[in-house]
PDB file of all heavy atoms in Angstrom:
ATOM      1  N   GLU J 658     100.945 192.864 -26.690  1.00 96.00           N
ATOM      2  CA  GLU J 658     101.691 191.830 -25.963  1.00 96.00           C
ATOM      3  C   GLU J 658     102.960 191.434 -26.713  1.00 96.00           C
ATOM      4  O   GLU J 658     104.047 191.351 -26.125  1.00 96.00           O
ATOM      5  CB  GLU J 658     100.798 190.609 -25.737  1.00 96.00           C
ATOM      6  CG  GLU J 658      99.670 190.857 -24.749  1.00 96.00           C
ATOM      7  CD  GLU J 658      98.628 189.754 -24.762  1.00 96.00           C
ATOM      8  OE1 GLU J 658      98.807 188.762 -25.526  1.00 96.00           O
ATOM      9  OE2 GLU J 658      97.635 189.861 -24.020  1.00 96.00           O
ATOM     10  N   ALA J 659     102.828 191.195 -28.014  1.00 97.00           N
ATOM     11  CA  ALA J 659     103.980 190.750 -28.798  1.00 97.00           C
ATOM     12  C   ALA J 659     105.043 191.845 -28.889  1.00 97.00           C
ATOM     13  O   ALA J 659     106.243 191.569 -28.791  1.00 97.00           O
ATOM     14  CB  ALA J 659     103.521 190.336 -30.197  1.00 97.00           C
ATOM     15  N   THR J 660     104.596 193.089 -29.060  1.00 97.00           N
ATOM     16  CA  THR J 660     105.539 194.208 -29.187  1.00 97.00           C
ATOM     17  C   THR J 660     106.310 194.425 -27.899  1.00 97.00           C
ATOM     18  O   THR J 660     107.537 194.558 -27.904  1.00 97.00           O
ATOM     19  CB  THR J 660     104.787 195.497 -29.564  1.00 97.00           C
ATOM     20  OG1 THR J 660     104.162 195.316 -30.841  1.00 97.00           O
ATOM     21  CG2 THR J 660     105.734 196.683 -29.622  1.00 97.00           C
ATOM     22  N   ARG J 661     105.603 194.442 -26.785  1.00 97.00           N
ATOM     23  CA  ARG J 661     106.262 194.723 -25.507  1.00 97.00           C
ATOM     24  C   ARG J 661     107.140 193.562 -25.050  1.00 97.00           C
ATOM     25  O   ARG J 661     108.204 193.766 -24.447  1.00 97.00           O
ATOM     26  CB  ARG J 661     105.213 195.099 -24.459  1.00 97.00           C
ATOM     27  CG  ARG J 661     104.582 196.467 -24.773  1.00 97.00           C
ATOM     28  CD  ARG J 661     103.344 196.743 -23.944  1.00 97.00           C
ATOM     29  NE  ARG J 661     103.622 196.996 -22.546  1.00 97.00           N
ATOM     30  CZ  ARG J 661     104.019 198.160 -22.043  1.00 97.00           C
ATOM     31  NH1 ARG J 661     104.234 199.201 -22.850  1.00 97.00           N
ATOM     32  NH2 ARG J 661     104.215 198.318 -20.746  1.00 97.00           N
ATOM     33  N   ALA J 662     106.736 192.344 -25.384  1.00 97.00           N
ATOM     34  CA  ALA J 662     107.559 191.175 -25.044  1.00 97.00           C
ATOM     35  C   ALA J 662     108.869 191.193 -25.828  1.00 97.00           C
ATOM     36  O   ALA J 662     109.933 190.865 -25.297  1.00 97.00           O
ATOM     37  CB  ALA J 662     106.792 189.890 -25.326  1.00 97.00           C
ATOM     38  N   ALA J 663     108.796 191.583 -27.095  1.00 98.00           N
ATOM     39  CA  ALA J 663     109.997 191.607 -27.934  1.00 98.00           C
ATOM     40  C   ALA J 663     110.853 192.846 -27.698  1.00 98.00           C
ATOM     41  O   ALA J 663     112.070 192.800 -27.844  1.00 98.00           O
ATOM     42  CB  ALA J 663     109.593 191.546 -29.409  1.00 98.00           C
ATOM     43  N   GLY J 664     110.204 193.959 -27.327  1.00 98.00           N
ATOM     44  CA  GLY J 664     110.915 195.241 -27.255  1.00 98.00           C
ATOM     45  C   GLY J 664     111.601 195.524 -25.949  1.00 98.00           C
ATOM     46  O   GLY J 664     112.617 196.227 -25.911  1.00 98.00           O
ATOM     47  N   PHE J 665     111.074 195.008 -24.827  1.00 98.00           N
ATOM     48  CA  PHE J 665     111.615 195.319 -23.514  1.00 98.00           C
ATOM     49  C   PHE J 665     112.497 194.196 -22.998  1.00 98.00           C
ATOM     50  O   PHE J 665     112.152 193.014 -23.102  1.00 98.00           O
ATOM     51  CB  PHE J 665     110.493 195.556 -22.495  1.00 98.00           C
ATOM     52  CG  PHE J 665     109.696 196.808 -22.716  1.00 98.00           C
ATOM     53  CD1 PHE J 665     108.317 196.804 -22.545  1.00 98.00           C
ATOM     54  CD2 PHE J 665     110.306 197.997 -23.085  1.00 98.00           C
ATOM     55  CE1 PHE J 665     107.564 197.951 -22.728  1.00 98.00           C
ATOM     56  CE2 PHE J 665     109.561 199.156 -23.275  1.00 98.00           C
ATOM     57  CZ  PHE J 665     108.190 199.136 -23.099  1.00 98.00           C
ATOM     58  N   GLY J 666     113.613 194.538 -22.388  1.00 97.00           N
ATOM     59  CA  GLY J 666     114.482 193.569 -21.737  1.00 97.00           C
ATOM     60  C   GLY J 666     113.935 193.160 -20.386  1.00 97.00           C
ATOM     61  O   GLY J 666     112.960 193.725 -19.882  1.00 97.00           O
ATOM     62  N   GLN J 667     114.601 192.199 -19.755  1.00 96.00           N
ATOM     63  CA  GLN J 667     114.090 191.599 -18.514  1.00 96.00           C
ATOM     64  C   GLN J 667     113.977 192.619 -17.380  1.00 96.00           C
ATOM     65  O   GLN J 667     112.984 192.641 -16.657  1.00 96.00           O
ATOM     66  CB  GLN J 667     114.976 190.440 -18.078  1.00 96.00           C
ATOM     67  CG  GLN J 667     114.435 189.657 -16.878  1.00 96.00           C
ATOM     68  CD  GLN J 667     113.060 189.049 -17.152  1.00 96.00           C
ATOM     69  OE1 GLN J 667     112.877 188.339 -18.144  1.00 96.00           O
ATOM     70  NE2 GLN J 667     112.086 189.338 -16.299  1.00 96.00           N
ATOM     71  N   GLU J 668     114.989 193.462 -17.185  1.00 95.00           N
ATOM     72  CA  GLU J 668     114.939 194.412 -16.074  1.00 95.00           C
ATOM     73  C   GLU J 668     113.828 195.428 -16.253  1.00 95.00           C
ATOM     74  O   GLU J 668     113.135 195.788 -15.290  1.00 95.00           O
ATOM     75  CB  GLU J 668     116.286 195.134 -15.917  1.00 95.00           C
ATOM     76  CG  GLU J 668     116.341 196.125 -14.764  1.00 95.00           C
ATOM     77  CD  GLU J 668     116.116 195.481 -13.402  1.00 95.00           C
ATOM     78  OE1 GLU J 668     116.404 194.273 -13.239  1.00 95.00           O
ATOM     79  OE2 GLU J 668     115.644 196.193 -12.490  1.00 95.00           O
ATOM     80  N   VAL J 669     113.623 195.891 -17.479  1.00 97.00           N
ATOM     81  CA  VAL J 669     112.529 196.834 -17.741  1.00 97.00           C
ATOM     82  C   VAL J 669     111.191 196.155 -17.484  1.00 97.00           C
ATOM     83  O   VAL J 669     110.290 196.739 -16.858  1.00 97.00           O
ATOM     84  CB  VAL J 669     112.613 197.378 -19.183  1.00 97.00           C
ATOM     85  CG1 VAL J 669     111.383 198.214 -19.522  1.00 97.00           C
ATOM     86  CG2 VAL J 669     113.872 198.219 -19.358  1.00 97.00           C
ATOM     87  N   ARG J 670     111.040 194.909 -17.931  1.00 97.00           N
ATOM     88  CA  ARG J 670     109.792 194.180 -17.662  1.00 97.00           C
ATOM     89  C   ARG J 670     109.578 194.017 -16.158  1.00 97.00           C
ATOM     90  O   ARG J 670     108.450 194.184 -15.662  1.00 97.00           O
ATOM     91  CB  ARG J 670     109.815 192.815 -18.359  1.00 97.00           C
ATOM     92  CG  ARG J 670     109.744 192.900 -19.868  1.00 97.00           C
ATOM     93  CD  ARG J 670     109.268 191.596 -20.491  1.00 97.00           C
ATOM     94  NE  ARG J 670     110.220 190.511 -20.314  1.00 97.00           N
ATOM     95  CZ  ARG J 670     111.180 190.192 -21.180  1.00 97.00           C
ATOM     96  NH1 ARG J 670     111.328 190.906 -22.283  1.00 97.00           N
ATOM     97  NH2 ARG J 670     111.981 189.178 -20.957  1.00 97.00           N
ATOM     98  N   ASN J 671     110.652 193.714 -15.427  1.00 95.00           N
ATOM     99  CA  ASN J 671     110.532 193.567 -13.963  1.00 95.00           C
ATOM    100  C   ASN J 671     109.981 194.840 -13.345  1.00 95.00           C
ATOM    101  O   ASN J 671     109.087 194.804 -12.487  1.00 95.00           O
ATOM    102  CB  ASN J 671     111.906 193.278 -13.346  1.00 95.00           C
ATOM    103  CG  ASN J 671     112.418 191.890 -13.659  1.00 95.00           C
ATOM    104  OD1 ASN J 671     111.690 191.049 -14.162  1.00 95.00           O
ATOM    105  ND2 ASN J 671     113.692 191.647 -13.357  1.00 95.00           N
ATOM    106  N   ARG J 672     110.534 195.973 -13.763  1.00 96.00           N
ATOM    107  CA  ARG J 672     110.127 197.235 -13.126  1.00 96.00           C
ATOM    108  C   ARG J 672     108.720 197.647 -13.542  1.00 96.00           C
ATOM    109  O   ARG J 672     107.976 198.228 -12.742  1.00 96.00           O
ATOM    110  CB  ARG J 672     111.151 198.321 -13.433  1.00 96.00           C
ATOM    111  CG  ARG J 672     112.525 197.968 -12.869  1.00 96.00           C
ATOM    112  CD  ARG J 672     113.415 199.155 -12.707  1.00 96.00           C
ATOM    113  NE  ARG J 672     114.790 198.747 -12.442  1.00 96.00           N
ATOM    114  CZ  ARG J 672     115.752 199.563 -12.020  1.00 96.00           C
ATOM    115  NH1 ARG J 672     115.476 200.842 -11.814  1.00 96.00           N
ATOM    116  NH2 ARG J 672     116.974 199.122 -11.805  1.00 96.00           N
ATOM    117  N   ILE J 673     108.341 197.365 -14.784  1.00 97.00           N
ATOM    118  CA  ILE J 673     106.963 197.647 -15.205  1.00 97.00           C
ATOM    119  C   ILE J 673     105.986 196.820 -14.366  1.00 97.00           C
ATOM    120  O   ILE J 673     104.954 197.324 -13.903  1.00 97.00           O
ATOM    121  CB  ILE J 673     106.788 197.359 -16.707  1.00 97.00           C
ATOM    122  CG1 ILE J 673     107.534 198.402 -17.550  1.00 97.00           C
ATOM    123  CG2 ILE J 673     105.306 197.353 -17.076  1.00 97.00           C
ATOM    124  CD1 ILE J 673     107.557 198.086 -19.028  1.00 97.00           C
ATOM    125  N   LEU J 674     106.334 195.559 -14.156  1.00 97.00           N
ATOM    126  CA  LEU J 674     105.450 194.688 -13.369  1.00 97.00           C
ATOM    127  C   LEU J 674     105.349 195.174 -11.919  1.00 97.00           C
ATOM    128  O   LEU J 674     104.256 195.231 -11.347  1.00 97.00           O
ATOM    129  CB  LEU J 674     105.965 193.248 -13.401  1.00 97.00           C
ATOM    130  CG  LEU J 674     105.761 192.505 -14.724  1.00 97.00           C
ATOM    131  CD1 LEU J 674     106.545 191.203 -14.736  1.00 97.00           C
ATOM    132  CD2 LEU J 674     104.279 192.230 -14.958  1.00 97.00           C
ATOM    133  N   MET J 675     106.487 195.538 -11.325  1.00 96.00           N
ATOM    134  CA  MET J 675     106.460 196.072  -9.952  1.00 96.00           C
ATOM    135  C   MET J 675     105.615 197.330  -9.889  1.00 96.00           C
ATOM    136  O   MET J 675     104.797 197.504  -8.971  1.00 96.00           O
ATOM    137  CB  MET J 675     107.885 196.394  -9.487  1.00 96.00           C
ATOM    138  CG  MET J 675     108.694 195.215  -9.020  1.00 96.00           C
ATOM    139  SD  MET J 675     110.193 195.742  -8.122  1.00 96.00           S
ATOM    140  CE  MET J 675     111.190 196.379  -9.450  1.00 96.00           C
ATOM    141  N   GLY J 676     105.835 198.230 -10.859  1.00 97.00           N
ATOM    142  CA  GLY J 676     105.122 199.495 -10.853  1.00 97.00           C
ATOM    143  C   GLY J 676     103.634 199.335 -11.064  1.00 97.00           C
ATOM    144  O   GLY J 676     102.816 199.989 -10.404  1.00 97.00           O
ATOM    145  N   THR J 677     103.250 198.439 -11.964  1.00 96.00           N
ATOM    146  CA  THR J 677     101.832 198.197 -12.216  1.00 96.00           C
ATOM    147  C   THR J 677     101.162 197.604 -10.988  1.00 96.00           C
ATOM    148  O   THR J 677     100.025 197.949 -10.640  1.00 96.00           O
ATOM    149  CB  THR J 677     101.675 197.252 -13.423  1.00 96.00           C
ATOM    150  OG1 THR J 677     102.351 197.829 -14.551  1.00 96.00           O
ATOM    151  CG2 THR J 677     100.207 197.060 -13.779  1.00 96.00           C
ATOM    152  N   TYR J 678     101.892 196.736 -10.291  1.00 96.00           N
ATOM    153  CA  TYR J 678     101.359 196.104  -9.069  1.00 96.00           C
ATOM    154  C   TYR J 678     101.074 197.151  -7.998  1.00 96.00           C
ATOM    155  O   TYR J 678      99.972 197.171  -7.415  1.00 96.00           O
ATOM    156  CB  TYR J 678     102.368 195.072  -8.567  1.00 96.00           C
ATOM    157  CG  TYR J 678     101.959 194.376  -7.288  1.00 96.00           C
ATOM    158  CD1 TYR J 678     101.071 193.303  -7.309  1.00 96.00           C
ATOM    159  CD2 TYR J 678     102.459 194.788  -6.057  1.00 96.00           C
ATOM    160  CE1 TYR J 678     100.695 192.652  -6.142  1.00 96.00           C
ATOM    161  CE2 TYR J 678     102.094 194.151  -4.878  1.00 96.00           C
ATOM    162  CZ  TYR J 678     101.210 193.085  -4.926  1.00 96.00           C
ATOM    163  OH  TYR J 678     100.844 192.455  -3.775  1.00 96.00           O
ATOM    164  N   VAL J 679     102.042 198.051  -7.742  1.00 96.00           N
ATOM    165  CA  VAL J 679     101.843 199.004  -6.640  1.00 96.00           C
ATOM    166  C   VAL J 679     100.826 200.087  -6.995  1.00 96.00           C
ATOM    167  O   VAL J 679     100.343 200.784  -6.101  1.00 96.00           O
ATOM    168  CB  VAL J 679     103.175 199.660  -6.188  1.00 96.00           C
ATOM    169  CG1 VAL J 679     104.154 198.609  -5.717  1.00 96.00           C
ATOM    170  CG2 VAL J 679     103.784 200.531  -7.274  1.00 96.00           C
ATOM    171  N   LEU J 680     100.502 200.214  -8.285  1.00 96.00           N
ATOM    172  CA  LEU J 680      99.474 201.179  -8.690  1.00 96.00           C
ATOM    173  C   LEU J 680      98.096 200.545  -8.832  1.00 96.00           C
ATOM    174  O   LEU J 680      97.113 201.238  -9.096  1.00 96.00           O
ATOM    175  CB  LEU J 680      99.863 201.824 -10.028  1.00 96.00           C
ATOM    176  CG  LEU J 680     101.053 202.784 -10.007  1.00 96.00           C
ATOM    177  CD1 LEU J 680     101.386 203.245 -11.421  1.00 96.00           C
ATOM    178  CD2 LEU J 680     100.791 203.982  -9.100  1.00 96.00           C
ATOM    179  N   SER J 681      98.030 199.244  -8.678  1.00 94.00           N
ATOM    180  CA  SER J 681      96.761 198.550  -8.936  1.00 94.00           C
ATOM    181  C   SER J 681      95.772 198.761  -7.798  1.00 94.00           C
ATOM    182  O   SER J 681      96.154 199.085  -6.664  1.00 94.00           O
ATOM    183  CB  SER J 681      97.006 197.055  -9.141  1.00 94.00           C
ATOM    184  OG  SER J 681      97.609 196.489  -8.003  1.00 94.00           O
ATOM    185  N   ALA J 682      94.497 198.557  -8.104  1.00 89.00           N
ATOM    186  CA  ALA J 682      93.433 198.734  -7.114  1.00 89.00           C
ATOM    187  C   ALA J 682      93.687 197.809  -5.923  1.00 89.00           C
ATOM    188  O   ALA J 682      93.996 196.632  -6.092  1.00 89.00           O
ATOM    189  CB  ALA J 682      92.083 198.416  -7.748  1.00 89.00           C
ATOM    190  N   GLY J 683      93.563 198.367  -4.743  1.00 88.00           N
ATOM    191  CA  GLY J 683      93.784 197.576  -3.545  1.00 88.00           C
ATOM    192  C   GLY J 683      95.194 197.684  -2.996  1.00 88.00           C
ATOM    193  O   GLY J 683      95.434 197.366  -1.833  1.00 88.00           O
ATOM    194  N   TYR J 684      96.143 198.110  -3.831  1.00 93.00           N
ATOM    195  CA  TYR J 684      97.535 198.228  -3.383  1.00 93.00           C
ATOM    196  C   TYR J 684      98.050 199.663  -3.457  1.00 93.00           C
ATOM    197  O   TYR J 684      99.092 199.969  -2.890  1.00 93.00           O
ATOM    198  CB  TYR J 684      98.441 197.313  -4.220  1.00 93.00           C
ATOM    199  CG  TYR J 684      98.114 195.857  -4.035  1.00 93.00           C
ATOM    200  CD1 TYR J 684      97.401 195.168  -5.008  1.00 93.00           C
ATOM    201  CD2 TYR J 684      98.507 195.175  -2.885  1.00 93.00           C
ATOM    202  CE1 TYR J 684      97.085 193.830  -4.838  1.00 93.00           C
ATOM    203  CE2 TYR J 684      98.194 193.848  -2.712  1.00 93.00           C
ATOM    204  CZ  TYR J 684      97.472 193.174  -3.684  1.00 93.00           C
ATOM    205  OH  TYR J 684      97.159 191.844  -3.507  1.00 93.00           O
ATOM    206  N   TYR J 685      97.338 200.513  -4.162  1.00 93.00           N
ATOM    207  CA  TYR J 685      97.778 201.900  -4.349  1.00 93.00           C
ATOM    208  C   TYR J 685      98.009 202.591  -3.007  1.00 93.00           C
ATOM    209  O   TYR J 685      99.059 203.177  -2.761  1.00 93.00           O
ATOM    210  CB  TYR J 685      96.734 202.651  -5.177  1.00 93.00           C
ATOM    211  CG  TYR J 685      97.076 204.096  -5.452  1.00 93.00           C
ATOM    212  CD1 TYR J 685      97.785 204.454  -6.595  1.00 93.00           C
ATOM    213  CD2 TYR J 685      96.681 205.110  -4.580  1.00 93.00           C
ATOM    214  CE1 TYR J 685      98.097 205.787  -6.862  1.00 93.00           C
ATOM    215  CE2 TYR J 685      96.991 206.439  -4.830  1.00 93.00           C
ATOM    216  CZ  TYR J 685      97.694 206.764  -5.977  1.00 93.00           C
ATOM    217  OH  TYR J 685      98.009 208.078  -6.221  1.00 93.00           O
ATOM    218  N   ASP J 686      97.009 202.502  -2.110  1.00 93.00           N
ATOM    219  CA  ASP J 686      97.137 203.158  -0.813  1.00 93.00           C
ATOM    220  C   ASP J 686      98.221 202.512   0.036  1.00 93.00           C
ATOM    221  O   ASP J 686      98.987 203.191   0.726  1.00 93.00           O
ATOM    222  CB  ASP J 686      95.804 203.127  -0.059  1.00 93.00           C
ATOM    223  CG  ASP J 686      94.763 204.056  -0.669  1.00 93.00           C
ATOM    224  OD1 ASP J 686      95.134 204.819  -1.580  1.00 93.00           O
ATOM    225  OD2 ASP J 686      93.601 204.018  -0.244  1.00 93.00           O
ATOM    226  N   ALA J 687      98.292 201.202  -0.009  1.00 93.00           N
ATOM    227  CA  ALA J 687      99.221 200.470   0.857  1.00 93.00           C
ATOM    228  C   ALA J 687     100.670 200.688   0.460  1.00 93.00           C
ATOM    229  O   ALA J 687     101.554 200.701   1.321  1.00 93.00           O
ATOM    230  CB  ALA J 687      98.891 198.976   0.814  1.00 93.00           C
TER     231      ALA J 687
END
Side-chain angles (χ1 to χ4, degrees):
E658 291 168 2
T660 298
R661 291 168 71 82
F665 291 139
Q667 186 60 53
E668 181 61 26
V669 173
R670 291 201 293 268
N671 289 349
R672 298 200 192 193
I673 289 173
L674 287 169
M675 280 194 288
T677 304
Y678 178 81
V679 300
L680 290 175
S681 60
Y684 296 103
Y685 180 91
D686 289 352

